[in-house]
Amino acid sequence: MASSSSAVSKRGGGDSGGVLAAISRSSVAQHGREAAAVAGKLLRSTGKAAWIAGTTFLVLVVPLIIEMDREQQMVDLDLQQQALLGAPPTPSLAK
């Protein structure tokens, strides 16, 4: 009976044998699993940082751009009205 159990383990059919089991226990496979775990954590933290940067941009920068555009439109409108009325544009508004 002992010879049949050793024959099974030599063929890879036992609990401790097999090519796939040996590969999954190897140091290369262990390093691969660790690298995958680190990559997953890095991806999650990068996604969080991108979310923070994107929402910060939307909350702070986009209203600033809109307000700057409105101000430029007002300056252009003042210059156009002054040109229609015949008055020379003032240097402070011509910027």
Side-chain angles (χ1 to χ4, degrees), residues 1-10:
M1 182 147 176
S3 64
S4 69
S5 66
S6 65
V8 169
S9 64
K10 286 181 184 177

Side-chain angles (χ1 to χ4, degrees), residues 20-79:
L20 292 177
I23 291 172
S24 66
R25 287 191 309 261
S26 72
S27 64
V28 174
Q30 181 62 30
H31 288 301
R33 284 190 290 272
E34 289 172 3
V38 169
K41 289 179 184 178
L42 181 65
L43 187 62
R44 278 191 298 275
S45 64
T46 302
K48 288 178 184 179
W51 173 259
I52 291 170
T55 53
T56 301
F57 179 79
L58 287 174
V59 168
L60 298 177
V61 177
V62 170
L64 177 66
I65 292 171
I66 292 170
E67 188 59 34
M68 289 171 55
D69 187 45
R70 284 183 186 164
E71 181 67 25
Q72 185 61 42
Q73 287 177 357
M74 292 299 293
V75 168
D76 291 343
L77 182 63
D78 287 343
L79 288 173

